[in-house]
Amino acid sequence: MDIHKATALLDDLIEKAGGCAIVDGGFATQLEKHGASINDPLWSALCLIKDPDLVKRVHLEYLEAGADILVTSSYQATIPGFISRGLSIEEAELLLEKSVKLAVEGRDKFWNSVKRNSRQSYNRALVAASIGSYGAYLADGSEYSGNYGPHVSLDKLKDFHRHRLQILVDAGPDLLAFETIPNKLEAQACVELLEEENVQIPSWICFSSVDGANAPSGESFKDCLDVINKSDKVSAVGINCAPPHFIQTLIQKLKEMTGKAIIVYPNSGEIWDGISKRWLPSKCFDDEKFELFAPIWRDAGAKLIGGCCRTTPSTIQAISKAVKERSGLDTTF
């Protein structure tokens, strides 16, 4: 399948979803709700080793909540990260493959169960293989600053991502999700890597934002998107793991800068303290606020909406219900 046919899969899903498809929500958050201990440099990827059945269970919970796209549990899964835990390269590769396999198996099991019900209002979900930023691997909070230091070059970033990208693509996802990219350099590395590896499945590239106006590095989104807009291998661009009160303005800003689909999946608004490794209380969005604002984000131009850290299946159900109602679709699950 060439890139244009593959991209049509995403376009068709968005159309079937009434013009705005629903991405799943916080994965690590839901793992912890089920008792998983993931205070570890591998974070949610730890469950690929310790409890793969729980990974699949969380995928199913998001599908039941109305998610049209599942994001795999590979955000913090990297070859060097697994090797640092004493695993071999071969074992690390198998765990990356497993992250896609678990999501695909969950999707297929769910779809086979609901498609027999003629009254169901679900779509056959797509699976997006998560590729976290270099800063996510460092686990030092640099995905929220973009400060990788003077020794991190374009080639170093491409070399870091290349092997994981190859394994994830070969595992057979429908999409690639580059997440919490903090600067122009890493966005450029992702775009060049997609070309060099001749990837034939569509991708999205999402940035975070700490000020509601720029990338975490302080670079303008225009500079970052100038790099991305040249690639036909990137189908969507947007924002993840930023506070929800930034989202409407950022959608409007991005809409002026790109013709690509816009994707947003903010966190709940709580603040992560990377030093003490805990969430700081703040005036966060609850599910009722997500239900209120998701249709506004849709109307502002977002084609894909979901949740990130501290959101749950109930959040996604609220978003899905509100967006489908705005799109004039059946909201019965």
Side-chain angles (χ1 to χ4, degrees):
M1 184 183 293
D2 66 28
I3 187 66
H4 300 293
K5 287 183 180 176
T7 301
L9 278 177
L10 180 59
D11 293 339
D12 289 348
L13 177 68
I14 292 170
E15 185 178 346
K16 285 177 184 172
C20 183
I22 306 302
V23 184
D24 63 11
F27 205 84
T29 302
Q30 192 65 7
L31 291 173
E32 288 183 312
K33 279 184 176 290
H34 289 303
S37 177
I38 54 174
N39 185 11
D40 185 276
L42 290 178
W43 202 39
S44 56
L46 188 64
C47 284
L48 288 170
I49 303 170
K50 293 196 165 185
D51 199 348
D53 287 342
L54 180 57
V55 171
K56 191 185 288 190
R57 177 181 173 182
V58 171
H59 285 316
L60 286 167
E61 288 171 340
Y62 276 115
L63 289 168
E64 289 164 358
D68 298 310
I69 296 177
L70 290 179
V71 181
T72 65
S73 54
S74 52
Y75 175 79
Q76 207 125 333
T78 65
I79 302 291
F82 286 133
I83 289 174
S84 71
R85 293 298 299 267
L87 279 68
S88 68
I89 291 177
E90 292 76 15
E91 289 169 327
E93 290 172 342
L94 287 172
L95 286 169
L96 283 168
E97 290 174 10
K98 182 185 279 189
S99 71
V100 175
K101 183 181 178 185
L102 290 169
V104 169
E105 287 177 352
R107 183 270 311 278
D108 291 347
K109 176 182 179 182
F110 181 77
W111 182 242
N112 287 333
S113 70
V114 300
K115 71 181 180 182
R116 292 190 289 269
N117 177 3
S118 61
R119 296 186 62 194
Q120 61 85 21
S121 61
Y122 295 97
N123 297 305
R124 182 179 182 275
L126 299 181
V127 170
S130 173
I131 300 174
S133 63
Y134 180 63
Y137 155 68
L138 295 176
D140 62 358
S142 56
E143 72 263 49
Y144 300 109
S145 71
N147 182 16
Y148 288 165
H151 303 299
V152 177
S153 64
L154 181 67
D155 285 340
K156 179 168 183 174
L157 288 170
K158 286 196 286 188
D159 289 344
F160 169 75
H161 285 299
R162 192 181 305 272
H163 192 184
R164 173 170 55 161
L165 175 78
Q166 292 167 337
I167 295 162
L168 290 172
V169 169
D170 288 345
D174 303 297
L175 310 161
L176 295 175
F178 293 96
E179 302 187 286
T180 57
I181 302 301
N183 55 35
K184 178 182 174 181
L185 187 69
E186 193 160 15
Q188 185 175 344
C190 297
V191 168
E192 291 189 12
L193 204 50
L194 291 170
E195 294 294 337
E196 290 170 15
E197 297 299 319
N198 194 25
V199 174
Q200 296 299 307
I201 58 175
S203 301
W204 75 60
I205 295 179
C206 278
F207 299 86
S208 187
S209 181
V210 293
D211 63 2
N214 301 292
S217 60
E219 294 165 302
S220 73
F221 281 122
K222 183 180 185 309
D223 285 347
C224 296
L225 263 64
D226 282 347
V227 173
I228 296 170
N229 283 335
K230 296 169 186 172
S231 174
D232 66 352
K233 296 185 182 294
V234 181
S235 297
V237 294
I239 305 294
N240 78 288
C241 214
H245 56 272
F246 290 168
I247 296 302
Q248 184 177 353
T249 301
L250 286 171
I251 293 170
Q252 293 163 340
K253 183 188 284 276
L254 295 177
K255 205 168 177 350
E256 295 171 1
M257 300 174 185
T258 187
K260 297 184 184 296
I262 294 171
I263 174 170
V264 293
Y265 47 114
N267 57 38
S268 69
E270 292 172 79
I271 300 167
W272 175 248
D273 183 338
I275 297 172
S276 64
K277 305 291 186 186
R278 65 190 180 94
W279 289 96
L280 302 177
S282 77
K283 210 165 187 179
C284 61
F285 259 40
D286 57 21
D287 293 348
E288 288 183 5
K289 281 194 177 177
F290 272 102
E291 189 169 354
L292 177 66
F293 279 89
I296 295 171
W297 299 338
R298 175 200 179 278
D299 292 349
K303 297 292 185 185
L304 300 130
I305 299 175
C308 204
C309 297
R310 311 296 278 180
T311 63
T312 66
S314 66
T315 312
I316 298 310
Q317 188 164 26
I319 291 172
S320 178
K321 181 175 183 290
V323 169
K324 286 182 188 302
E325 284 178 349
R326 183 63 61 92
S327 302
L329 299 178
D330 180 16
T331 58
T332 305
F333 292 113

